[in-house]
Amino acid sequence: EPLLDSNDNVISSLSSIGTPKVWTCTLVIAISVAIIGGSLQFGFQIGCMASTQPTLRNAFHNVSDTEMSLIISGMPIGGLIGGLSAGLIADKIGRKRCMLLNNIPILLGTAVMASGINKYLFFIGRVIAGFSCGIATGVTPMYISEISPVSVKGAVGVSHQFMITFGILLGFVLSINNLLTSFAGYWHFYFALPAIPAFYQLILLPLCPESPNWLYYNKEREDLARAALSKLRGSRSVADDEVDKMIKERTTTASSTMVTYKELFTNRTLRLTLIIGIALQGAQQLSGVNAILNYGPEILQKAGMKNGDLGTGLLGGINVLMTLVSVPLMDKMGRRSLMLIGQIVMIVSYIVLATAQRIHDNDKNASWTAPVSVTTIITFIIGFAIGPGSIPWLIIGELFTADARGKASSLCVGANWVFNLLVVLTYDKLNKALKPNTFFLYMGIVIFFFTFTFLFVPETKKKPVEQINLEIRDQAEKFPPTVF
């Protein structure tokens, strides 16, 4: 097939990964602008603290372990506020305007951190940047899901997590001491780097269409929804078909009004759907992955790797690679299957890692524990990347109908940040108290969420949201109202 048609629409027949026949330039640009300006920022803010802690301790003087934990936790503190606000703001002013305005806090937070005046202002900068990341984690996956054709929602949804992992990798690699020059000489510039994707989004996002779903369901502008879809699909007939499906979905729902927070908790189907969404966020964050990412050099050095910074960069690279590998698998194997497989890999990795670390603590001559520990950390990241890393962000947009998506997304994303903050604040203390047994604790948490996923999470691959909701409703009715 030709690469371009007469309208400069990019033609692809990559049916092996579930791609549609037509990728328009508008769609590609809109997705790239959203994930570079949102997902990449989030990833960089995660990765930027792993190897920079020694430099920041020297720059700010007398930074205690507790203060450093608080500085690291500044982002999830701000992220919690932003995550809970994201759906409300995106519903009120639109996905596009929400993303545009979200560049203000990231630029402000970046400027405060890059100034490096003192540790207190640096913490405030982390909170402000975290607020922006919280907004981004809510609105970015929502926007790219709503502008994407059904046949590639899985692959496009993973692009959000892929760009997060790429941002983490950038944060790791660019902060490795002596990679380019002494990191102490350019750390101010390093923390100013997020301004680049922010300006990229500010320049190009105004050229991209608003979410057709928001235009139709929230603004009740069928004409604007058709116009936006026409640009995104490069075909008026395809746009008309998708709008007709929106009309059908709206007429088949019990109410044409937006779902309230009260209904999310009182309606049995919506309540179980919300519980599933929040549980998947817990499966991602409470697995302990952010402890490994934030304290990567320290963990790897204890595991036997001499250069913890380079090892952390290796983990970041594997995370990116395996997230990319999960793209074709997402629409082949399905979300639920990948989630379960990833969790099994994580459980086995934790068992081997904790056992090897305990043996090493009791017998310093057991040199074989070092390569085994490093290998299991790598396999843990592989399991995380193909399952819990990607799927929770994607599945939020597939579980909820448009009239509930904004509010439900806010609650799910807010829960994600609560779990993130909990792990970041507690890991250092848990590690000192439990030592290798910390990994057994995380293993138990992963086992719990594996069981929940197996029992309650439906397969959403290429299913209409109405069918998914019917399956969840049937599942909820099997239990007493006091349970679900």
Side-chain angles (χ1 to χ4, degrees):
E1 293 184 12
L3 294 177
L4 297 173
D5 66 10
S6 58
N7 294 319
D8 289 336
N9 294 326
V10 183
I11 307 299
S12 173
S13 59
L14 301 178
S15 57
S16 62
I17 60 171
T19 328
K21 292 181 179 179
V22 177
W23 279 91
T24 64
C25 292
T26 302
L27 177 63
V28 172
I29 292 171
I31 292 171
S32 73
V33 169
I35 62 177
I36 290 174
S39 316
L40 181 70
Q41 297 280 24
F42 176 37
F44 184 84
Q45 294 301 327
I46 294 174
C48 71
M49 293 304 297
S51 300
T52 58
Q53 295 175 45
T55 300
L56 293 176
R57 288 180 188 273
N58 291 332
F60 297 140
H61 309 294
N62 301 320
V63 180
S64 67
D65 289 344
T66 300
E67 287 175 329
M68 184 55 69
S69 292
L70 285 172
I71 289 173
I72 293 173
S73 67
M75 189 190 75
I77 289 172
L80 171 59
I81 302 169
L84 289 171
S85 308
L88 292 172
I89 298 172
D91 275 351
K92 185 72 175 177
I93 66 175
R95 296 20 171 168
K96 180 177 167 181
R97 193 178 300 174
C98 181
M99 288 189 290
L100 275 172
L101 293 176
N102 193 40
N103 286 291
I104 297 173
I106 192 65
L107 288 171
L108 178 60
T110 293
V112 173
M113 285 189 289
S115 66
I117 297 172
N118 57 49
K119 59 188 175 185
Y120 305 107
L121 280 176
F122 191 88
F123 169 75
I124 292 172
R126 285 277 291 171
V127 173
I128 296 171
F131 173 80
S132 176
C133 291
I135 295 286
T137 55
V139 72
T140 301
M142 190 189 305
Y143 177 74
I144 63 175
S145 174
E146 291 178 347
I147 66 173
S148 303
V150 173
S151 57
V152 286
K153 280 190 185 292
V156 171
V158 176
S159 69
H160 169 64
Q161 178 65 16
F162 171 76
M163 198 55 69
I164 291 174
T165 60
F166 187 68
I168 293 172
L169 178 61
L170 283 179
F172 286 164
V173 171
L174 295 178
S175 62
I176 294 176
N177 197 30
N178 297 322
L179 180 68
L180 303 175
T181 182
S182 173
F183 182 70
Y186 71 93
W187 73 269
H188 295 275
F189 173 76
Y190 170 82
F191 283 105
L193 288 175
I196 297 173
F199 282 115
Y200 172 79
Q201 188 174 78
L202 282 169
I203 292 169
L204 290 182
L205 187 56
L207 306 177
C208 301
E210 177 57 272
S211 160
N213 291 53
W214 182 78
L215 290 170
Y216 179 74
Y217 291 105
N218 295 72
K219 298 297 288 182
E220 298 184 346
R221 291 294 304 270
E222 182 183 323
D223 56 330
L224 295 180
R226 289 184 190 275
L229 276 169
S230 294
K231 290 181 181 179
L232 289 164
R233 303 291 179 263
S235 167
R236 184 59 188 245
S237 61
V238 173
D240 288 341
D241 288 343
E242 291 196 30
V243 172
D244 290 342
K245 290 178 182 177
M246 290 183 190
I247 295 171
K248 183 180 179 181
E249 178 187 333
R250 190 164 196 175
T251 55
T252 53
T253 56
S255 173
S256 61
T257 59
M258 303 303 290
V259 168
T260 64
Y261 279 110
K262 181 180 179 181
E263 288 174 308
L264 282 174
F265 291 96
T266 56
N267 181 289
R268 293 190 66 185
T269 302
L270 288 172
R271 185 167 64 233
L272 179 54
T273 308
L274 182 63
I275 290 171
I276 291 171
I278 291 174
L280 287 171
Q281 302 300 320
Q284 181 187 85
Q285 293 298 331
L286 295 178
S287 66
V289 65
N290 275 340
I292 290 177
L293 295 177
N294 282 308
Y295 295 92
E298 177 187 336
I299 293 172
L300 287 168
Q301 284 171 350
K302 285 182 179 179
M305 183 172 280
K306 292 182 179 179
N307 192 323
D309 288 344
L310 285 176
T312 304
L314 173 64
L315 292 184
I318 292 170
N319 201 8
V320 172
L321 178 63
M322 293 311 300
T323 303
L324 192 61
V325 168
S326 73
V327 173
L329 297 177
M330 193 66 64
D331 286 320
K332 272 190 173 182
M333 298 179 62
R335 289 62 154 144
R336 184 175 182 274
S337 298
L338 279 182
M339 187 77 179
L340 292 170
I341 291 170
Q343 288 171 321
I344 290 172
V345 174
M346 292 163 67
I347 291 166
V348 174
S349 299
Y350 267 147
I351 292 172
V352 177
L353 174 61
T355 303
Q357 289 289 285
R358 287 191 68 176
I359 293 172
H360 177 74
D361 286 353
N362 295 326
D363 181 7
K364 300 299 182 184
N365 294 321
S367 58
W368 61 268
T369 60
V372 169
S373 297
V374 173
T375 301
T376 53
I377 291 173
I378 291 172
T379 59
F380 172 86
I381 291 295
I382 291 173
F384 177 81
I386 65 173
S390 305
I391 291 166
W393 298 119
L394 163 66
I395 210 168
I396 292 176
E398 298 181 325
L399 287 174
F400 298 98
T401 53
D403 55 356
R405 192 171 297 136
K407 294 182 178 69
S409 293
S410 284
L411 293 173
C412 292
V413 171
N416 182 284
W417 285 99
V418 170
F419 299 142
N420 185 333
L421 179 61
L422 183 63
V423 170
V424 171
L425 284 176
T426 59
Y427 171 75
D428 193 44
K429 290 182 174 62
L430 283 173
N431 188 43
K432 288 176 180 176
L434 301 177
K435 296 181 181 178
N437 292 327
T438 304
F439 299 119
F440 279 125
L441 173 63
Y442 288 139
M443 179 202 70
I445 294 172
V446 177
I447 289 174
F448 169 80
F449 284 112
F450 170 84
T451 305
F452 182 93
T453 302
F454 182 79
L455 293 175
F456 299 109
V457 177
E459 179 54 70
T460 62
K461 182 184 72 171
K462 297 182 181 179
K463 289 182 181 178
V465 68
E466 298 88 354
Q467 182 182 345
I468 296 168
N469 280 184
L470 285 174
E471 292 177 10
I472 295 175
R473 186 193 68 186
D474 293 342
Q475 201 170 33
E477 290 176 351
K478 295 177 182 177
F479 295 88
T482 52
V483 178
F484 291 123

